[in-house]
Amino acid sequence: MCDELVGAALLAALEQRFADDLRPPLEPQAIIHPNGFVKLPLARTAGGAARLFLHVWQAGSADADVHDHRWAFASAVLRGELSHTLMDVTVTPGSAGGRGRERGRGRDEHLTGAFAVARYRPGVGTHCFDVSRRERAVVNHRRTHVFPAGRRYGMEAFVFHRAHALAGAMTFVARGLPQRPYARVLLDDETSTPVMKPWRPLDAVERRQHLRDALEALG
């Protein structure tokens, strides 16, 4: 990922003019994600291999649950600071017994207990969480990486993690094609199914301001 691609995608989204190797996003509506960040579609590459987004992290932005993604992605931190806690997880078929909770709190501490696994499938206006397979997961250990402005990082598909960002952080995200039809979410002993709050649309004025701020941060 290069600054030229980031700048071109941001400018194309702001001016709504797509040329060269960029095309308009398939779903152009910017939304406020339930985890507390703005998800702003920018463009997609001409061959369709990547979808490009701007994420603007608001106060208290943090993933509610440990989860993975069905696609790989690359990201550049444009402003602020972002951390990812990566989980080494073993998933097995369901068995009797209660759900566990995270007990380790520090970096690289071991976690104990079994978690239920929900398979998440997105739909048009719906969110389906399937726990019928009774899969269980054990978190063996975790490690946290902190990425300040100017850093780039990537993540393969199917890596369990949880993200947290300082208010006002901005990240540019290039997302690959899905490699399977579902993602997975780990449920603790107080959660029967994840609580999915509705996605709220972002108005046009805020959308343009975020794009201008991102271009300024890119320099």
Side-chain angles (χ1 to χ4, degrees):
M1 184 193 305
C2 61
D3 287 348
E4 288 77 12
L5 173 62
V6 178
L10 290 169
L11 194 60
L14 178 63
E15 298 180 347
Q16 287 298 290
R17 290 189 296 177
F18 299 87
D20 300 326
D21 294 330
L22 296 179
R23 300 291 183 269
L26 295 174
E27 300 174 7
Q29 176 63 60
I31 56 96
I32 301 176
H33 193 279
N35 284 340
F37 62 89
V38 170
K39 180 181 178 181
L40 199 160
L42 300 173
R44 55 194 167 97
T45 55
R51 297 173 64 184
L52 311 177
F53 298 86
L54 175 67
H55 290 179
V56 184
W57 300 77
Q58 302 179 321
S61 294
D63 292 330
D65 300 288
V66 176
H67 63 283
D68 69 3
H69 292 293
R70 55 202 183 111
W71 26 256
F73 71 89
S75 185
V77 182
L78 305 182
R79 187 176 73 185
E81 184 177 279
L82 180 78
S83 65
H84 270 289
T85 299
L86 307 181
M87 311 284 183
D88 179 14
V89 174
T90 301
V91 177
T92 59
S95 61
R99 296 176 185 142
R101 305 185 69 180
E102 294 184 13
R103 293 182 174 85
R105 295 301 179 188
R107 184 174 179 177
D108 293 329
E109 290 184 37
H110 286 267
L111 308 175
T112 60
F115 293 74
V117 180
R119 294 189 177 189
Y120 166 69
R121 288 181 173 83
V124 179
T126 62
H127 307 93
C128 176
F129 291 94
D130 178 12
V131 294
S132 63
R133 288 170 174 78
R134 300 179 62 81
E135 293 172 307
R136 311 291 292 176
V138 174
V139 179
N140 303 310
H141 68 269
R142 65 181 182 180
R143 59 194 183 279
T144 298
H145 301 279
V146 179
F147 304 101
R151 285 288 301 275
R152 288 166 167 75
Y153 66 95
M155 190 176 298
E156 297 296 328
F158 321 137
V159 175
F160 283 101
H161 66 281
R162 178 183 283 151
H164 179 268
L166 300 178
M170 285 186 165
T171 53
F172 176 90
V173 179
R175 198 177 87 184
L177 295 174
Q179 299 180 32
R180 67 179 175 204
Y182 63 88
R184 297 170 296 178
V185 179
L186 303 190
L187 308 180
D188 65 21
D189 56 359
E190 296 179 353
T191 307
S192 55
T193 56
V195 177
M196 180 61 74
K197 301 176 183 177
W199 294 15
R200 293 183 287 141
L202 191 74
D203 66 50
V205 174
E206 289 180 285
R207 177 185 178 278
R208 286 193 296 270
Q209 188 59 56
H210 287 315
L211 291 169
R212 292 191 185 101
D213 290 344
L215 282 164
E216 181 179 352
L218 185 63

